[in-house]
């Protein structure tokens, strides 16, 4: 189960957060070849967010907790697609967008009815 958490330093209306979450989920499913039913997206808005190389303007940080096993090219494709979506949708300067991946073994991901397996 991937957990994609987005922090912003500006308010995001609930409807806009829902629409963004839907697009992010689609990008994850398409890029990572994953099942939509397992993707979780969190949007936390209007919080303090400091990014070392940020310029003036809005900021977005994505923490992507995913199952290990995908190659760097695939992760990069997802990260750049998500950043492009956030930049366009929320008018965020490119320098103010970051994505960090944390990878977990499948067995570290639990649902009520199952324990995750390895990526294969």
């Amino acid at each position: 189960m991937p957990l994609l958490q987005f922090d912003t330093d500006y308010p995001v209306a609930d409807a806009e957060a829902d629409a963004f979450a839907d697009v992010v989920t689609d990008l994850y499913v398409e890029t990572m070849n994953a099942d939509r039913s397992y993707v979780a997206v969190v949007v936390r808005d209007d919080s303090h967010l400091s990014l070392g190389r940020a310029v003036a303007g809005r900021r977005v940080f994505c923490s992507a907790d995913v199952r290990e096993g995908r190659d760097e090219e695939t992760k990069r494709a997802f990260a750049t697609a998500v950043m492009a979506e956030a930049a366009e949708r929320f008018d965020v300067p490119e320098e103010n967008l970051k994505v960090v991946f944390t990878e977990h073994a499948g067995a570290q991901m639990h649902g009520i009815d199952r324990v995750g397996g390895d990526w294969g």
Side-chain angles (χ1 to χ4, degrees), residues 72-93:
E72 294 304 316
E73 183 177 297
T74 301
K75 290 184 287 188
R76 182 67 181 157
F78 174 72
T80 56
V82 163
M83 288 186 282
E85 178 64 28
E88 182 176 331
R89 180 179 296 268
F90 299 121
D91 192 30
V92 178

Side-chain angles (χ1 to χ4, degrees), residues 44-83:
R44 287 185 292 264
D45 66 333
D46 204 19
S47 58
H48 175 75
L49 181 55
S50 175
L51 299 174
R53 296 182 183 173
V55 298
R58 294 175 162 191
R59 297 176 177 127
V60 175
F61 182 86
C62 173
S63 178
D65 295 306
V66 302
R67 182 173 41 183
E68 66 186 359
R70 291 178 177 88
D71 60 47
E72 294 304 316
E73 183 177 297
T74 301
K75 290 184 287 188
R76 182 67 181 157
F78 174 72
T80 56
V82 163
M83 288 186 282

Side-chain angles (χ1 to χ4, degrees), residues 17-33:
D18 288 341
F20 181 65
D22 284 342
V23 170
V24 165
T25 298
D26 289 342
L27 289 170
Y28 191 87
V29 167
E30 293 165 11
T31 308
M32 300 291 211
N33 189 27

Side-chain angles (χ1 to χ4, degrees), residues 3-5 28 62-66 78 99-104:
L3 172 58
L4 310 172
Q5 301 174 79
Y28 191 87
C62 173
S63 178
D65 295 306
V66 302
F78 174 72
V99 175
V100 173
F101 289 94
T102 303
E103 296 180 288
H104 303 276

Side-chain angles (χ1 to χ4, degrees), residues 1-2 25-26 28-29 34-41 111 113-114:
M1 173 189 87
T25 298
D26 289 342
Y28 191 87
V29 167
D35 186 324
R36 183 179 185 83
S37 65
Y38 295 121
V39 180
V41 179
D113 61 342
R114 66 187 285 276

